[in-house]
Amino acid sequence: MSTLRSALFDWNPNRVTRVAVSGIAVFLAVRFTDGLLVGFGVAVGLAVVLDVPWWLYDRYAQSEK
């Protein structure tokens, strides 16, 4: 249980951003589609589109160090 507890409490900005992006993508996919496969495709597409700016920022910040 200690490993699970440390994983749950060890949140960094990358993990928070990924969870937020995934939640927003799933919410929008459920809201605007009616089919399971179409919704899944939209959720994956939105997650990619919403995560790219954070990935670019993180990559830029790592190159500055």
Side-chain angles (χ1 to χ4, degrees), residues 1-3 6 23 25 32 35 37 49 65:
M1 186 61 137
S2 63
T3 305
S6 67
F32 294 115
L37 291 177
V49 167
K65 289 183 180 178

Side-chain angles (χ1 to χ4, degrees), residues 4-58:
L4 178 60
R5 186 174 298 144
S6 67
L8 290 175
F9 291 122
D10 185 30
W11 285 64
N12 56 12
N14 283 336
R15 184 176 287 181
V16 171
T17 303
R18 300 269 168 121
V19 168
V21 164
S22 299
I24 291 169
V26 169
F27 171 76
L28 290 174
V30 168
R31 190 89 169 127
F32 294 115
T33 62
D34 57 356
L36 178 67
L37 291 177
V38 173
F40 180 71
V42 169
V44 169
L46 284 172
V48 169
V49 167
L50 293 174
D51 192 47
V52 166
W54 176 256
W55 176 75
L56 288 173
Y57 167 77
D58 193 39

